[in-house]
Structure formats: C-alpha cells, structure tokens
Amino acid sequence: MAEVGHLQHARHIQDMSAAKSLEPHWGYAERVVPCVNDPGSCEYLDAVYGANDLGMIYVAILWATLFGVVFVWSVGRRLWPSPRADAVVSANAGVEVLTASKPKGLRLKRTLAAYGRRYLLPDAAKSIFGRITRLQVLILAILACYLLIWTHVGIVYKKWVTPVKGYTDLFNIRSGLGPWSNRVGVLAYALTPLSVMLASRESLLSVLTGVPYQSFNFLHRWLGYIMVIQGSLHTIGWSIIEIKLYQPQPETARNWITQLYMIWGVVAMLLLLLIFALSTPWGIRLTGFEFFRKAHYILSMVYIGACWGHWKQLRCFMLPSLLLWFLDRGARLIRTALIHHQYLPEKSMGFKAVSSRLARFPDNENGDVIRMDFEHSQEAWKIGQHFFLCFTEGSIWQSHPFTPLNSPEVRDGVVAHSYIFRAKGGETKKMNELAAKKLATTADATTSVILQGPYGESIAEKLTPDVNVLCVAGGTGVTYVLPVLLDLVQKPASRDRNIELIWAVRRKDDIRWIEKELDIIWKAAVSHRIGVHIFVTREQSSKTTSLQDIKTIEKEGDIQEVGSASSDASLKGAQTAQAVDVQKIGGEGYSQHPNLREVVNNFVGNTVRGPTVVIIFVHGLRGHPQRTWSGDTNDSTDSNEDNGGRGADSSISRRELLKAIFGGKRSRPTAGSNNTASTRSSDVFWPAELLSHDIPEARIWTYGYNADVINGVFTANNLNSVSQHGQDLAIKLRREVDNEDPIIFVAHSLGGIIVKDAIHQSADKARTKLVVFLGTPHRGSSYADWGQMASRLASLALQDSNREIMRALEVDSEILDRIHKTFINDAHTLSIKVHSFQEGRGITASTASAIETVETIDADHKQMARCANRNDARYRAISGVL
Ligand SMILES: Cc1cc2nc3c(=O)[nH]c(=O)nc-3n(C[C@H](O)[C@H](O)[C@H](O)COP(=O)(O)OP(=O)(O)OC[C@H]3O[C@@H](n4cnc5c(N)ncnc54)[C@H](O)[C@@H]3O)c2cc1C
Ligand SMILES: NC(=O)c1ccc[n+]([C@@H]2O[C@H](COP(=O)([O-])OP(=O)(O)OC[C@H]3O[C@@H](n4cnc5c(N)ncnc54)[C@H](OP(=O)(O)O)[C@@H]3O)[C@@H](O)[C@H]2O)c1
C-alpha cells in the first residue's frame, strides 16, 4: 500500500495515506474517498474518474458490438448459405423443364450480392491504401469514426487552477487533457486483442465469418496505425501535463518519468514506433520480408509485456492478446504435427516430412521456375487455399505461402500436390540452386518439405452450373485459377456457363510449367465451353515466326496445334467455345499487356446478355417432355405409343391405354411436372445432347403437360382441354422465360395446337419468331372438319383407328376454329415463320396452308420427333430450320 501510495501520489494527485477508504474503479487506480484535496482538485478528480468509468463502458460497448457483428455474420452464413456448386445439378444436361421455378429469395440475394460486388469491391483510394476494396476501407472508416466519437464523449472540458502544496506562487493547471489522454490510451489498450486477432493465421475470425485470414491483414495494419496515433497522443498529452502544467518544474517531470510504470510506458511507446517503422513498405523493403515477419512477432510480444508493466489495471486486454497469439502458434504447431504424423519407414508412426520431386524451368531473364510434385496422406484442401511450405534443406525457420495448382482429390488415401514458384531472392533462390545441383546428377531429384495449412478461402464452392467463370492470371499466378478449371472440367458440362482463361506469360515456353494440366483443360474445351487465351508479353510478335516449336496436343482424336506465333494462328474449333490461342503481343520495349478491359467486356458481353434465342419443345398426345424427343440409336422400329418414346420396352399395354382414355386411373406425369423418367441408355435426348451443342446461343426448354387423358381435350371448360393447356403454357412462358430473347417453338402433334393457342394468349407474343410443327395437322382441305382432325390425332396417340372410339370423343369445333384463325392472324401480323414437317410414311399427310413452309420427313408420325444422331436425316432437317 505504501509503494502504491507513493506511485499513486504522483499519478493521481491523491494522498493515499489520508484515505478513509479506497473506491475501486475498473481499469484505473483506486479512488480516495472522501476527497482530501483542495476543492478544485476534487472537482477535477470527479471528472477524471467519471471519464474513466465511461471510457470502460464505451470499450465494453465496442467489444460487444464487435462480438455482435461477428455473431450475426456467423449465424447468418449458416442459416442462409449460398448455393453450393455440388448441390445444384444442371437439369437434363442443358435442357430445362419449363415448370422448374427459381426461388425468389435466391434471386434477391444474388441481386443484392451483385450490387454489393459492384459498389464495394472496386479499389478505394489506391494511392493511400494500396490495392484494397472499398468494403475494407468502409469498415476501417466506420471503426475510425466510432473510436473518434468514443475518444471525445463523456469528458469534462474545463480548466481548474489549483494550489501547489507548500508554494504560494505556484499553481497546477488541471484540465480535460488528462481524462482525454487517458481515454485514448485505454482505447489503444482495448484494441490490442483485436489487432492480434486480425493478424492470426489460425484465425478465430475466419472460422466464424468464413473470411480468409489474409483479408484481415489490411485492418490489422491500419488498426496498428491507429494505435500508434493513440499511443502518441496519450504520450504527448501526459507529457504536456507533467512537464508543463504541473508545478514545480522540473521536479514534477523528473519524478514522473523516473517511476517504474513510466519507464515501461516509454518502452512501450518506443516499441510501438519501431514496429510501425518496420511495417511500412519502406521498412519491409529495407530489412527484407523474412526479417520484418520475425521482428514483428517478437517486438509485438515485448510491446504487450511493456503495456502490462505500464498500466497493469488494464491487463484484461493484454492477457487475451497474449493468449490469442499463443493459441495461433499452438494451433499451427498441432496442425503441422497432425499432417506429418505418418507411417515411418520402420512402420511406426512419427513425424515425417514429404519427399517432393523437383523439376526446373530455367529462365535467365526473368528468374527460373521450380515445379514440385508429391503425394501426401491427408484430407483434401479446398480450391483457392494455400499451404506454407518449409524446405528443410533451406531453413527450418522459414515457411512460405504457395498455392497448389492441381485439383484437390483424395485418391487411394493420398492427395497429390503440385506447386510452381519463381526463384526470387530468399528461400526460393536457395531451392532453385539446390534443384539445379541435384538435377545435374539425377533426373529424379527430390527434396523434403514440411506443410503448414491449408489456409485461405474456398473459391469454387459457389460456382453453381449457371455461374460464368473468367480466370485472369499472370505468370506463376496461374496456380490460383488452375484448380478451379481442373475441377470444372471434372464436373458435368453446363450449357449455362462460359469459362475462359486469360493467362499472361513472359515467354511462350512458360506453358511447359503446367503442360499436363493445360492438356486436361484443352481436351475438355469443347464439351465444357472453355476458351483458353495465352498472351506472351515478352517475345517479339511476328506473323512470320516459325511454327516449328509450336506445341501440339491431342484433342478429341485430332492433333491440333495449340500454340501459334501470332493471333492470326489462333485456333478456333467448330464452336467458339473451342477457342484456344497463344498470342504474342509483346514486342520491342515489351510494353504490351493483354487489354484486360476489352477481355472482360467481351466475356461479359457474351454472357450477361446470355443466350440469344429460346427454343421450347412441346410434345403431343400421350407424350413426355423428354421421351418424346429421345431417339434410340439401336432401334429404328416403331414404338407402341404415340410419341412418348416408351418404345418396345414399355410395360403399358394398349388395353391399359384405352382404359386411361376412358377414365381408368393410372399415375402419370402431371401437367408441367419435371418428371424426367429415365430413358434407355441407348436413347439420345437430342435437344440436350445434340441441339444444345449445335446452337450454343440457344436456351432450350421442354414443356410437359398431361396429355394422357384425351377425353375432353378438344372441348371447352375442361381442365385438360387444349385451350387450358395453351393458357398454362402462356402463363409459364411469362413466369419462367423472363427475358427478352426471341422464342422458337418446336411442337409435335397436338402440341402444335397448344402452341398456337399459347402464342395468342401470351402477353409478349411478339417474341415468337418461328414455329416448327412436326406432324401437327392444321385444318386443311383433306380434313372435312375438326372432329375428323381430332380423331386423327387421337388415333395417332393410340395407334388404333377404331372409329367407334373416336366418335366418343367430344370435339368443340368452335374452339379449334378460333385457335386456328387467331394463329393465322398472329402469324401474319407478327411475321411468325411457320415450318411444318409432315410424315412421309405411314399416315397420310395433311396439306399445307398458305402461311407455312411444308416439308416432308421420311418417318412416320411417331418417329419424326425422335432423332438418334447428327447424321439422322430428321435431325438434319429440323436443326437446319432452327
Ligand atoms: C497466398 C499466397 C500464395 C502464393 N503462391 C505462390 C505460388 O504458388 N507460386 C509462387 O511463385 N509464388 C507464390 N506466392 C508468392 C511467394 O510466397 C513468395 O514469392 C515467396 O514467399 C518468396 O520467398 P523468398 O524467400 O524467395 O522471398 P524473398 O526473395 O525474400 O522476397 C521476395 C518477395 O516475396 C515476398 N515474400 C517473401 N516471403 C514471403 C512470405 N512468407 N509471404 C508472402 N510474401 C513473401 C516479399 O514481398 C518479397 O518482396 C504466394 C504468395 C501468397 C501470399
Ligand atoms: N496468391 C497466389 O496464390 C499466387 C500464386 C502464385 C503466384 N503469385 C504471385 O504472382 C506473381 C507472379 O509472378 P511471376 O514472376 O510468376 O510472373 P511473370 O512471369 O512476371 O508474369 C506475369 C505476366 O503478367 C503480365 N502482366 C503484368 N501486369 C499486367 C497487367 N496489368 N495486365 C496484363 N498483364 C500483365 C506480365 O507482363 P510483363 O512482364 O511484360 O509486364 C507477365 O507476362 C508473383 O508476385 C507471385 O508471388 C501469387
């Protein structure tokens, strides 16, 4: 108490020996009560302790706010996770069933996310903050404003002139400067654990928020700058008070600065300034990154200790700071130990480094590149994550971040790792020298590696099949995007996405770093709509450069060149998606870069606008949204049903079909169901498997409706009637195909009549540009009336020309007349092209009307919608019209 009293006397102008009792105050010295000082000093002490108590409350609010934000974020991302790529499967490999609706919540979320990305992700004030997003700067600004307000509120800004004991001519000036200086000091202390948390690699914040640890680096750095300012202001404030405003001088100042707590205070302030100087870009450049890193850790720990020594009442902030730091280190050690806890050669378990194969790509001008490949028994990491590698033959005290360039998969209990890195000045240079030495003696050179990690964010999880992917990389930076592409080519192809890789390299030879991986991508270029564009920036561009060193790879059985000397030689496959080119754009002065603005604009132009045409397939009576359009590669014989394609293997007998028509109950795909019952393995669902590839700009839909119950289909006011189906189709068109793209209908049999009606009922019928009818009888001279036509359609459905049954069908000629006339009218006024295919075999064809082009297909009514391959005459005819 005596020692404390001595220290307190100088610090708090209180006479502890005269204290009747001491009042505890969190974060500050105890207060003597009742006050035994002069009235002015007592009033000042009220202001000091009041401001301190408020300051501690504000700090509690600050931390509660931080916890609250992190908690809400953490709960929110679990409650409303973004759709994951592996949870969304492209419907029918490119063809959607029209009835599938997209959740509105998801659309809203995507729209908001898109706005967020647009306005918050661009760089903010690059000259001040460097390459950092507006979002990060916004968070920093909010924190800075918060601290600025909390620094100033609750402080009594007043001046007290008080007597100095034993002097009649000297006065102390007491003011709001004391409590204000304390406040900034307290805030600096309170921010220390946050600063440590933001710097952790085994980041608690990352676990909770899903944000990678590197993203917190900017805030860590700027929080450090704020703490330097706060520490400096605290020091300046108290220096003015103790050196200038308190009397007598210089005794007061000397007594003040020689106290132990003040010595720690000075040490803490000097450390803070040193840490700041070493952390500036200038400091890092001067001392080297590795020195900066190690010095930063050590100095920060000593700083925390010095802060504790300066003001132990605030150890509540220093203790968590130290704990967090040790937790980070501990977790790192444990994770590394776990990764390397493997079977040793003598079959016992123990710590084992990985043996990595070495390859070297010499480059005298730009620095050699080393490739490392190894397999390790561990769990797969996530695409986008990186490891810190420690090369034991270099230094066991260093580890450096590198991104594996391969796709992370566990095969036979091990995961392959492949890395490339450019030899720079430190560890990478050492490894390059080592590799050169080892490779000079053996081609199977290896070195041992210790892995730490993985760290960082997964970047491929949210790439659902409708997300377009543009990868842009320079040099070895390609390691970050390669796994994304390698992963996408392993997944089913999606027609809803374009994928493009733009890779800038200095020399054409740099392709060899990742030859194997590029081969895999190029082979999938057509099926997955991938464009690979490689720009060579530092080799003379010339259209006459010899092609002899151009690499060739096998692509779908052909040998095609993939590299060329100029953009002229860029390869274009049968489709644009196949574009693979290597362009030399550099030249004298090497000043040329790929025009990224143009590249991005082109990519966005090709994707944002999306498909330029919508093709909708509508099946006929007893048809099915998929089976109707599925041709059998093995079987050219007719099937038993109208056009549903159930074919010879159908277990439904004709007797059952008849039962269904006359009211027998059997479960069927309902109208608009997206039931895509399995087809035979030899079936080709040609809209998806052929047409979607041949017309890549088309978005293809199939419309499913219940055409099983024929009774009443040609009457009015029946839920299963033609006009009801037409209305349903019109509504679904509006709801689901919500873009401005032109529409083409391909309709089979009765589907044609539904389409005619749907066009008329559709709110934006002007979008319809073409209707292709397959075997749809229009009212023509060969049909006496609608009843006959209906009978014909029904007989097609049943493969039965039992006229007795047909007579039982009701036909409302007025409805059919109206549909026919309004369609002819619409076709004329809206310039809708009509192309009718009629069966050339089997059932007699109807004749053409004035508005249509009529063509005959060499198939019967049932088979005309079923194409088996690209050489099929039916496919050539129909796709030719489309
Ligand atoms: C997340 C991440 C992934 C990376 N992946 C790859 C990769 O796949 N291939 C590749 O070639 N390079 C990669 N790098 C860069 C690579 O880590 C550095 O080139 C390497 O650490 C340099 O080591 P050095 O001792 O030879 O560096 P030095 O010659 O001492 O320094 C060269 C430069 O490297 C930077 N650097 C040095 N050490 C580190 C470190 N520990 N962390 C971050 N930067 C450092 C410094 O800014 C310095 O300017 C990656 C960097 C990061 C941050
Ligand atoms: N974070 C990660 O996962 C990760 C992974 C690997 C590598 N890296 C980093 O990526 C960098 C790659 O270095 P490197 O030596 O391998 O590369 P490099 O050989 O210098 O290749 C970079 C290429 O990109 C071109 N380029 C540079 N700026 C461009 C711009 N603004 N627009 C268009 N093209 C541009 C360069 O052209 P010019 O040379 O003609 O200017 C060069 O052709 C290193 O800093 C490495 O640390 C990061």
Side-chain angles (χ1 to χ4, degrees), residues 340-639:
H340 289 279
H341 190 242
Q342 306 271 335
Y343 277 110
L344 301 174
E346 55 272 17
K347 298 286 176 237
S348 58
M349 294 289 281
F351 189 94
K352 186 180 162 201
V354 195
S355 176
S356 166
R357 299 179 295 282
L358 290 167
R360 192 163 165 269
F361 302 89
D363 180 346
N364 294 334
E365 260 178 61
N366 309 300
D368 304 336
V369 167
I370 303 296
R371 177 165 172 143
M372 287 190 167
D373 292 276
F374 56 86
E375 290 79 36
H376 192 57
S377 164
Q378 64 175 108
E379 281 180 22
W381 62 93
K382 291 182 180 140
I383 292 168
Q385 292 191 306
H386 57 271
F387 284 87
F388 276 72
L389 302 189
C390 167
F391 308 116
T392 57
E393 290 186 85
S395 159
I396 58 156
W397 300 108
Q398 287 192 34
S399 56
H400 289 262
F402 298 103
T403 309
L405 59 86
N406 57 310
S407 173
E409 294 163 78
V410 181
R411 283 202 187 149
D412 303 325
V414 293
V415 194
H417 288 243
S418 300
Y419 298 89
I420 48 167
F421 56 82
R422 172 94 64 198
K424 298 203 169 159
E427 276 303 277
T428 52
K429 184 176 170 207
K430 267 196 241 165
M431 291 319 293
N432 180 38
E433 286 163 1
L434 188 86
K437 213 160 89 192
K438 288 191 174 191
L439 286 164
T441 54
T442 169
D444 301 321
T446 59
T447 188
S448 65
V449 174
I450 295 174
L451 293 165
Q452 287 176 13
Y455 297 106
E457 180 185 29
S458 156
I459 54 171
E461 263 171 14
K462 294 174 191 162
L463 298 181
T464 49
D466 57 341
V467 174
N468 295 296
V469 181
L470 171 63
C471 301
V472 181
T476 53
V478 76
T479 58
Y480 191 65
V481 297
L482 261 187
V484 176
L485 299 172
L486 292 169
D487 181 56
L488 290 179
V489 301
Q490 283 177 33
K491 294 192 165 139
S494 165
R495 275 202 60 256
D496 285 343
R497 74 148 53 108
N498 281 344
I499 305 172
E500 208 160 297
L501 168 65
I502 307 295
W503 185 30
V505 286
R506 291 186 165 177
R507 309 170 319 151
K508 187 156 53 58
D509 243 17
D510 292 347
I511 295 173
R512 296 186 196 281
W513 305 337
I514 51 167
E515 208 166 29
K516 250 187 348 192
E517 290 73 22
L518 282 180
D519 278 359
I520 296 170
I521 293 166
W522 283 331
K523 279 181 181 153
V526 177
S527 58
H528 286 68
R529 302 161 59 77
I530 305 177
V532 179
H533 306 275
I534 299 171
F535 296 90
V536 178
T537 60
R538 301 230 180 177
E539 277 173 342
Q540 193 73 36
S541 107
S542 159
K543 296 196 175 178
T544 55
T545 305
S546 150
L547 295 181
Q548 64 190 5
D549 57 345
I550 287 168
K551 185 178 129 40
T552 58
I553 62 155
E554 216 171 297
K555 190 193 295 175
E556 293 194 335
D558 299 311
I559 301 291
Q560 297 196 22
E561 63 176 44
V562 295
S564 72
S566 75
S567 55
D568 285 3
S570 80
L571 290 186
K572 295 263 187 279
Q575 297 158 27
T576 48
Q578 205 176 344
V580 174
D581 65 300
V582 180
Q583 302 183 13
K584 283 190 183 184
I585 55 171
E588 262 171 56
Y590 308 131
S591 57
Q592 236 184 314
H593 280 157
N595 185 340
L596 291 183
R597 185 178 289 274
E598 193 181 298
V599 163
V600 173
N601 283 345
N602 284 346
F603 182 79
V604 172
N606 284 334
T607 51
V608 168
R609 199 157 56 88
T612 55
V613 65
V614 175
I615 304 180
I616 300 170
F617 284 79
V618 184
H619 61 75
L621 279 171
R622 302 201 54 74
H624 182 276
Q626 180 164 342
R627 291 190 299 255
T628 291
W629 312 100
S630 295
D632 183 357
T633 46
N634 299 330
D635 179 15
S636 59
T637 58
D638 294 350
S639 65

Side-chain angles (χ1 to χ4, degrees), residues 91-373:
N92 286 335
V95 174
E96 293 163 68
V97 174
L98 190 50
T99 50
S101 67
K102 296 193 174 67
K104 291 233 161 33
L106 182 63
R107 264 193 223 169
L108 180 71
K109 196 176 162 192
R110 283 193 172 172
T111 309
L112 289 177
Y115 268 103
R117 279 196 294 274
R118 182 166 178 191
Y119 293 106
L120 293 176
L121 294 194
D123 285 347
K126 205 166 117 203
S127 53
I128 304 170
F129 299 107
R131 294 221 80 124
I132 205 72
T133 62
R134 287 182 194 165
L135 178 66
Q136 297 241 37
V137 174
L138 182 69
I139 293 171
L140 175 69
I142 292 171
L143 185 68
C145 288
Y146 193 96
L147 291 171
L148 198 66
I149 294 167
W150 271 183
T151 303
H152 292 98
V153 292
I155 289 171
V156 180
Y157 292 100
K158 195 174 162 186
K159 198 163 103 179
W160 296 269
V161 179
T162 61
V164 178
K165 248 188 198 163
Y167 295 87
T168 50
D169 55 341
L170 290 179
F171 297 91
N172 287 321
I173 296 173
R174 312 204 190 277
S175 69
L177 183 61
W180 181 85
S181 302
N182 284 348
R183 176 71 60 78
V184 281
V186 168
L187 288 175
Y189 269 62
L191 291 176
T192 311
L194 179 62
S195 170
V196 175
M197 213 188 269
L198 291 168
S200 303
R201 210 193 283 166
E202 306 294 335
S203 172
L204 192 65
L205 284 176
S206 295
V207 173
L208 294 172
T209 60
V211 176
Y213 78 96
Q214 310 100 295
S215 302
F216 297 121
N217 201 275
F218 167 78
L219 271 182
H220 166 73
R221 191 151 23 98
W222 280 83
L223 201 62
Y225 298 157
I226 290 177
M227 286 164 65
V228 171
I229 294 171
Q230 288 172 326
S232 305
L233 291 174
H234 173 77
T235 307
I236 292 167
W238 276 108
S239 299
I240 293 172
I241 294 167
E242 296 284 353
I243 298 171
K244 190 103 184 109
L245 303 181
Y246 285 178
Q247 301 296 331
Q249 290 296 352
E251 291 93 314
T252 304
R254 197 171 47 232
N255 288 341
W256 169 67
I257 202 72
T258 51
Q259 293 170 95
L260 188 61
Y261 90 97
M262 269 315 299
I263 293 168
W264 278 122
V266 172
V267 171
M269 190 59 227
L270 290 177
L271 283 169
L272 197 56
L273 289 174
L274 187 60
I275 294 170
F276 167 69
L278 291 178
S279 313
T280 55
W282 165 83
I284 296 175
R285 259 198 305 276
L286 191 75
T287 59
F289 192 82
E290 208 50 42
F291 175 84
F292 151 74
R293 219 158 57 129
K294 297 218 158 58
H296 198 74
Y297 296 148
I298 295 166
L299 292 176
S300 304
M301 287 306 100
V302 183
Y303 165 76
I304 289 175
C307 286
W308 192 317
H310 176 60
W311 203 253
K312 54 176 76 65
Q313 290 90 336
L314 289 178
R315 61 182 172 272
C316 54
F317 299 120
M318 297 302 122
L319 198 62
S321 306
L322 286 174
L323 262 178
L324 285 167
W325 191 84
F326 282 112
L327 273 178
D328 182 25
R329 301 288 125 165
R332 243 183 248 187
L333 273 177
I334 291 169
R335 282 180 74 188
T336 307
L338 285 177
I339 287 187
H340 289 279
H341 190 242
Q342 306 271 335
Y343 277 110
L344 301 174
E346 55 272 17
K347 298 286 176 237
S348 58
M349 294 289 281
F351 189 94
K352 186 180 162 201
V354 195
S355 176
S356 166
R357 299 179 295 282
L358 290 167
R360 192 163 165 269
F361 302 89
D363 180 346
N364 294 334
E365 260 178 61
N366 309 300
D368 304 336
V369 167
I370 303 296
R371 177 165 172 143
M372 287 190 167
D373 292 276

Side-chain angles (χ1 to χ4, degrees), residues 2 124 325 367 388 406 452 476 521 565 633 643 653 674 686 712 724 801 828 830 859-860:
W325 191 84
F388 276 72
N406 57 310
Q452 287 176 13
T476 53
I521 293 166
T633 46
N643 37 39
S653 69
N674 65 354
W686 63 268
Q724 187 61 48
S801 50
H828 278 303
L830 301 171
D860 64 23

